Amino acid sequence: METKRSEIAVTVNGTRYGWPSQPVVVVCIDGGDPAYLRQALACGVVPNIDRFIETGFGAVADASMPSFTCPNNMSIITGTPTSAHGISGNYYLDTATGEAVVMTGPELLRGETILAGFARAGARVASITAKDKLRRQLGKGLDLSRGSVCFSSERAAQCTVEENGIADVRDLVGMSQPDIYSPELSLFVLEAGIRLLERDRPDLMYLSLTDWVQHKFAPEEKEAMAFYAAIDACFGRLAELHAVVALTADHGMSDKSNEAGRPRVIWLQDILDACFGKGETTVICPITDAFLLQHGALGGFVRVWCRGKTPASAILALVRGIEGVDLALDKEAACRLFDMPPDREGDVEVVSQPGWCIGAAEADHDLSGLVGHRLRSHGGLSEAKVPFILSHALNRDYRRKAASGVLRSYRIFDYAINGTRG
Ligand code: ZN
Ligand code: ZN
């Protein structure tokens, strides 16, 4: 006897997902700090989100630490904390070679993605990201031979059926190739999602934006509100196409400049070198990526590896006294507190206060891209609160769940799929 699709369940990384009765679209608003949403709701520029919160569900959830793009996108797409999926930043130090290793390869991602699990069970899925650096991990194990797609707006022009499951993305979307430093890079993702939903009606979609707007503009600035109005209109169109729309963010965003408009930076490698000597420690800034003009590789979280005789305890004693440091923890405490993977952690983790960021050696950071605007960045605990919004109301089980424990952003697929079923 044939099993009805509605009776199929898919288990991914220990979580059981029922078969969605209507398309489910999860959107990661990169850098979507709750402060932007508060401002946008107060200004009345996001009527669709307003309605979702009113008739569906709206809360603020905890993101994974460190509050960076890669760890949180992987948490959302696998439904697990970083301790399970292993992506702890954009870079970690390979202690065998002493080299910083980029962490965007799918081979470093542990476990399966929810999209790959559903595609394996016969679903049509779509993964669209603004930044190509995320694409290969989001597409890990994803079978593209049966109508599923995985592409980035950054490389929209280079899409092929073989690599992405789709070609001619610009034609589909009706937009030209957007610049990587533009709001259009995100809007392209949403437009593509809308067109695919109209054309193919995928069962599951993941749309991941970029935080260019939030790095550049504070919530009070008109450019930020124009962006929110534009993405809200897209959310409305997705809902009109009878999708369950779920909104979250990978992390928030804080102003990290002083009164003069200059970045307030702790140059940690310089401080450690001056105290313990060169070569004793290596500071890795896990925010480092190709989008340097946005943040100068300065974020609210860094890792320190002991490379000589200096013990972690001596580093902790020094670092805890530095102005602007929020928390300094050894590996064991950090992994316990933040549920992070020990084999990719440094010996010491340092988190900055909201108004501060942490760099390595001043000479190694290019801040030329920041001239003329205040540094806004993320990585710390102060940027680990994110919106958690659903267009549909929760069922009784999930209402209870939401009310009785800490809400984690990596549960958004679970809530959107299982929590909105009658
Ligand atoms: Zn991000
Ligand atoms: Zn960012």
Side-chain angles (χ1 to χ4, degrees):
M1 212 177 75
E2 208 178 302
T3 317
K4 275 199 255 148
R5 277 185 124 201
S6 59
E7 289 163 10
I8 303 173
V10 178
T11 299
V12 180
N13 305 321
T15 300
R16 191 174 182 276
Y17 300 89
W19 200 271
S21 54
Q22 64 196 103
V24 170
V25 183
V26 173
V27 183
C28 176
I29 306 171
D30 198 319
D33 196 286
Y36 289 94
L37 204 53
R38 272 197 297 278
Q39 180 77 13
L41 288 164
C43 295
V45 296
V46 287
N48 294 297
I49 299 178
D50 201 350
R51 190 181 69 252
F52 296 167
I53 295 170
E54 195 65 33
T55 61
F57 178 75
V60 172
D62 282 4
S64 296
M65 278 289 286
S67 52
F68 291 129
T69 300
C70 291
N72 276 285
N73 271 274
M74 294 314 127
S75 286
I76 293 168
I77 204 71
T78 59
T80 62
T82 52
S83 60
H85 64 69
I87 304 302
S88 58
N90 294 347
Y91 280 91
Y92 77 110
L93 189 78
D94 182 341
T95 47
T97 62
E99 296 291 320
V101 178
V102 65
M103 294 191 77
T104 52
E107 68 287 353
L108 292 170
L109 178 67
R110 295 167 182 153
E112 193 180 25
T113 74
I114 298 165
L115 296 179
F118 268 92
R120 182 170 38 80
R124 186 185 268 250
V125 307
S127 163
I128 313 174
T129 167
K131 299 174 178 177
D132 202 67
K133 72 174 182 194
L134 287 173
R135 180 184 54 85
R136 290 192 310 133
Q137 280 179 346
L138 293 177
K140 184 193 168 188
L142 185 56
D143 177 3
L144 299 177
S145 69
R146 290 185 293 177
S148 294
V149 300
C150 177
F151 60 89
S152 73
S153 53
E154 186 184 342
R155 298 272 165 82
Q158 285 96 42
C159 281
T160 63
V161 173
E162 193 185 31
E163 177 82 13
N164 308 98
I166 189 168
D168 302 330
V169 180
R170 290 171 303 168
D171 292 347
L172 171 80
V173 179
M175 284 171 72
S176 54
Q177 175 67 50
D179 189 88
I180 67 161
Y181 297 112
S182 72
E184 283 74 30
L185 197 69
S186 291
L187 297 176
F188 191 102
V189 171
L190 294 172
E191 282 296 335
I194 292 165
R195 297 297 162 88
L196 278 178
L197 190 57
E198 284 169 346
R199 195 187 76 175
D200 301 340
R201 230 169 155 68
D203 302 288
L204 220 52
M205 285 210 277
Y206 183 56
L207 308 178
S208 186
L209 313 185
T210 169
D211 56 3
W212 179 81
V213 167
Q214 291 87 345
H215 271 291
K216 202 163 171 72
F217 303 107
E220 314 74 71
E221 294 182 77
K222 64 177 190 308
E223 291 88 347
M225 289 303 98
F227 179 67
Y228 268 73
I231 61 175
D232 180 78
C234 293
F235 302 152
R237 287 161 64 202
L238 289 166
E240 262 170 39
L241 292 165
H242 305 290
V244 173
V245 182
L247 310 174
T248 189
D250 50 354
H251 51 76
M253 193 69 72
S254 301
D255 187 309
K256 295 184 178 292
S257 292
N258 60 20
E259 296 74 18
R262 300 282 305 150
R264 222 186 243 126
V265 191
I266 300 161
W267 297 111
L268 192 58
Q269 188 70 72
D270 294 336
I271 295 172
L272 295 174
D273 285 354
C275 187
F276 301 117
K278 256 192 177 328
E280 278 292 297
T281 61
T282 301
V283 174
I284 296 281
C285 303
I287 193 173
T288 310
D289 68 5
F291 290 70
L292 275 178
L293 295 183
Q294 294 184 173
H295 47 59
L298 295 170
F301 179 101
V302 299
R303 299 192 163 97
V304 185
W305 270 267
C306 299
R307 308 291 292 155
K309 293 191 177 68
T310 309
S313 56
I315 298 171
L316 284 171
L318 173 74
V319 169
R320 282 177 179 150
I322 300 172
E323 190 190 5
V325 167
D326 183 12
L327 262 181
L329 301 163
D330 63 25
K331 180 197 288 205
E332 200 181 77
C335 289
R336 205 171 47 235
L337 190 62
F338 300 136
D339 215 350
M340 298 196 296
D343 60 328
R344 289 174 185 168
E345 276 314 314
D347 297 301
V348 169
E349 280 65 46
V350 188
V351 181
S352 67
Q353 292 171 2
W356 288 79
C357 56
I358 313 171
E362 187 169 8
D364 294 339
H365 286 257
D366 177 6
L367 305 189
S368 57
L370 302 175
V371 174
H373 73 92
R374 299 177 69 84
L375 173 67
R376 302 176 56 74
S377 195
H378 52 90
L381 272 174
S382 43
E383 296 90 36
K385 293 285 181 196
V386 293
F388 193 105
I389 296 166
L390 299 168
S391 60
H392 288 55
L394 291 177
N395 56 36
R396 194 160 162 259
D397 276 5
Y398 277 76
R399 274 204 305 277
R400 210 179 266 170
K401 221 182 233 196
S404 61
V406 179
L407 191 60
R408 307 271 179 196
S409 57
Y410 67 74
R411 286 282 170 208
I412 191 110
F413 270 100
D414 177 23
Y415 274 69
I417 296 171
N418 296 325
T420 62
R421 294 162 73 85

